[in-house]
Amino acid sequence: MKKEMLNFANSKRRLLLYFLFVVFVLVLSVRGVRGAGAFGAKQVRNDFAVYYTASSALLDGRNPYLVESPEGRRYLYPPLFVLLFAPAAVCGFDVAFLVYLAVQLLSLFVLLRVSFQLSEPSKRFFSIDENPLILFVTILFLWRAFDSDFANGQINTLVAASAILGVFLALLRRKHIAGGLLLALSVSFKLYTAPLALLFLRKESLRAVLWTVLGVGLFIIVIPSLFLGRETNLEYLGTFYNTLLVHYSGSKAPSVFEASGQSLWGVFQRIFTKTDASAHSSEPLFLNITDLPPSVVWYVYLTFSLAILVYLLVTQKGRGVPIAVALFCCAVVLVVPLARKAYFVLLT
């Protein structure tokens, strides 16, 4: 009798927490609708409008990197995502948004589920079915990150889900081809998950490194060239490089990254240069202890970032897979120059 009552209490708690998860999903969906300005919502259109505008331009034979959204913003990532999103863009803004929202919600479920499965050493505690409280705590802890991702029309939940699922398949399920290709797909949407490929530098998963490299070539060069033509794709990739990547290779700090993000780059800027530490406040706040040239701070940041990744690479072989994955995900958020609130979905 006591056991039955305990099972009944656990069932009620599980239902309550799943109900809260449904509420969470509904809130994210509403935030997404309002942020995108879909279905007549009265709000400035967010980054979803950038993807839609770029895909529409692609369908018209125009360079997706040279067109601007209604708010004057441009597409800044490899061509693959706007190419895959183009069929939805044919159906109009609202229908395209529904497709985007469905993909993001599916990615949310995959990301949460796989993250819990990755925590195998504590399988009972981290299991959604055995202990649904962990689901609620995760949502509560990362609410701001997911809210930012959906409200700003970003695709970081999709990017993170593809990367973590790829790592999970390669390292724990020994499916090196599928794992490498999924991580490559993530990198081909946004470059910031690329450091996770270092996780594959283990004796038992070296094949996944090869498939990740091949996958990036497949998703960035081969597939877009099949649909757009080789010369057109190379033209688009050249514009992408000149728009974003050239900032990494210059002799000075990239201006596109000035005073942005929560990564080491943003922290070093605020400490070592005269940079306003309160970007959303009318009154500037300066925390700098010196005022070094931006180029010097940029190289300090690169040195620290490289040191962090090398340290994790050297020490990961002595760690279990879940710990290594967790540390690398934290490192990605730390070292990516443009890391914003939405990037913290990786901390799931």
Side-chain angles (χ1 to χ4, degrees), residues 1-242:
M1 184 67 178
K2 185 177 179 180
K3 185 178 180 180
E4 291 178 356
M5 291 180 64
L6 183 61
N7 289 336
F8 179 71
N10 288 338
S11 298
K12 287 179 64 177
R13 185 182 64 172
R14 188 176 292 115
L15 286 173
L16 174 60
L17 291 171
Y18 287 163
F19 172 75
L20 292 175
F21 178 69
V22 171
V23 172
F24 173 63
V25 168
L26 290 176
V27 170
L28 291 182
S29 300
V30 172
R31 291 281 286 164
V33 169
R34 287 177 55 81
F39 307 106
K42 295 180 180 180
Q43 189 163 326
V44 176
R45 290 181 174 179
N46 55 26
D47 285 2
F48 170 77
V50 176
Y51 307 140
Y52 178 80
T53 302
S55 292
S56 298
L58 192 74
L59 292 169
D60 295 336
R62 293 176 291 153
N63 190 325
Y65 296 97
L66 300 181
V67 298
E68 295 182 346
S69 70
E71 290 70 47
R73 287 176 290 176
R74 294 185 179 183
Y75 182 69
L76 295 174
Y77 305 110
L80 182 67
F81 183 73
V82 290
L83 177 63
L84 295 178
F85 194 64
V90 173
C91 303
F93 189 88
D94 290 344
V95 174
F97 172 78
L98 285 178
V99 173
Y100 148 80
L101 182 62
V103 170
Q104 280 284 78
L105 291 176
L106 176 62
S107 300
L108 173 66
F109 175 79
V110 170
L111 180 58
L112 290 170
R113 192 78 197 186
V114 173
S115 296
F116 295 138
Q117 289 179 326
L118 263 171
S119 304
E120 232 169 333
S122 304
K123 189 172 182 180
R124 180 177 178 82
F125 177 74
F126 283 102
S127 170
I128 296 178
D129 299 318
E130 294 291 337
N131 188 1
L133 180 61
I134 196 67
L135 175 64
F136 175 72
V137 173
T138 302
I139 291 171
L140 185 65
F141 183 71
L142 290 170
W143 176 282
R144 188 68 185 92
F146 287 113
D147 178 73
S148 177
D149 200 40
F150 278 75
N152 288 298
Q154 280 288 339
I155 57 169
N156 294 296
T157 305
L158 168 61
V159 172
S162 302
I164 299 305
L165 181 57
V167 168
F168 173 75
L169 290 176
L171 295 185
L172 291 183
R173 293 292 182 263
R174 301 293 186 266
K175 297 180 179 179
H176 300 122
I177 297 177
L181 289 178
L182 273 171
L183 180 57
L185 181 65
S186 173
V187 175
S188 301
F189 287 157
K190 286 192 174 185
L191 303 178
Y192 72 83
T193 54
L196 294 181
L198 296 175
L199 284 164
F200 295 156
L201 294 179
R202 294 168 173 249
K203 184 177 180 181
E204 68 274 14
S205 57
L206 287 175
R207 284 179 60 202
V209 179
L210 173 64
W211 282 102
T212 301
V213 173
L214 291 176
V216 169
L218 179 68
F219 294 133
I220 290 183
I221 297 176
V222 177
I223 291 179
S225 295
L226 289 176
F227 288 90
L228 304 174
R230 185 176 62 87
E231 292 185 1
T232 300
N233 185 48
L234 290 178
E235 176 192 347
Y236 293 171
L237 287 173
T239 311
F240 167 62
Y241 174 82
N242 292 326

